[in-house]
Amino acid sequence: MGPSPLTSYFEEIVQSLLTVTHREDVGESRLRTAAYETLNEVVRCSTDETVPMVLQLAPIIMMELHKTLEEQKLSSDEREYQNELQGLLCGCL
């Protein structure tokens, strides 16, 4: 497989998607879900050239997942949000 035309944009795409996941309006219109699903697809389609950047992404995703595990005493809505986020993060890993 030859180099991807997106290789030079890979890091910027990943960073932009991660930024979206932290927006204040992330809960609206399934924005967070769309951002993580897109991130998963970008990683899945990565090439050998982008492996170092993918490897740098793993600890970031692990940190996000760890944050969700620290949260206690959640309402049912917050727990649902937490479960969805954990699933998205695990999917990315």
Side-chain angles (χ1 to χ4, degrees):
M1 177 184 255
S4 167
L6 294 179
T7 297
S8 60
Y9 304 104
F10 185 87
E11 190 170 1
E12 188 176 344
I13 291 168
V14 168
Q15 188 57 50
S16 294
L17 289 167
L18 288 173
T19 299
V20 167
T21 65
H22 290 95
R23 283 178 34 170
E24 286 184 26
D25 62 344
V26 75
E28 298 174 21
S29 303
R30 298 181 34 92
L31 181 60
R32 182 187 67 237
T33 301
Y36 276 118
E37 287 176 351
T38 303
L39 180 61
N40 293 348
E41 193 63 21
V42 168
V43 168
R44 189 184 70 76
C45 295
S46 62
T47 64
D48 290 346
E49 297 167 314
T50 56
V51 166
M53 288 178 266
V54 171
L55 292 175
Q56 290 175 359
L57 182 60
I60 294 168
I61 299 299
M62 290 293 291
M63 228 176 357
E64 292 295 323
L65 184 57
H66 182 73
K67 286 180 196 174
T68 69
L69 298 173
E70 292 178 331
E71 297 172 7
Q72 301 294 322
K73 298 183 181 178
L74 302 173
S75 70
S76 60
D77 284 347
E78 290 169 330
R79 191 172 323 285
E80 185 178 330
Y81 170 88
Q82 180 189 46
N83 290 341
E84 180 185 352
L85 181 55
Q86 287 170 345
L88 292 166
L89 291 166
C90 287
C92 192
L93 288 174

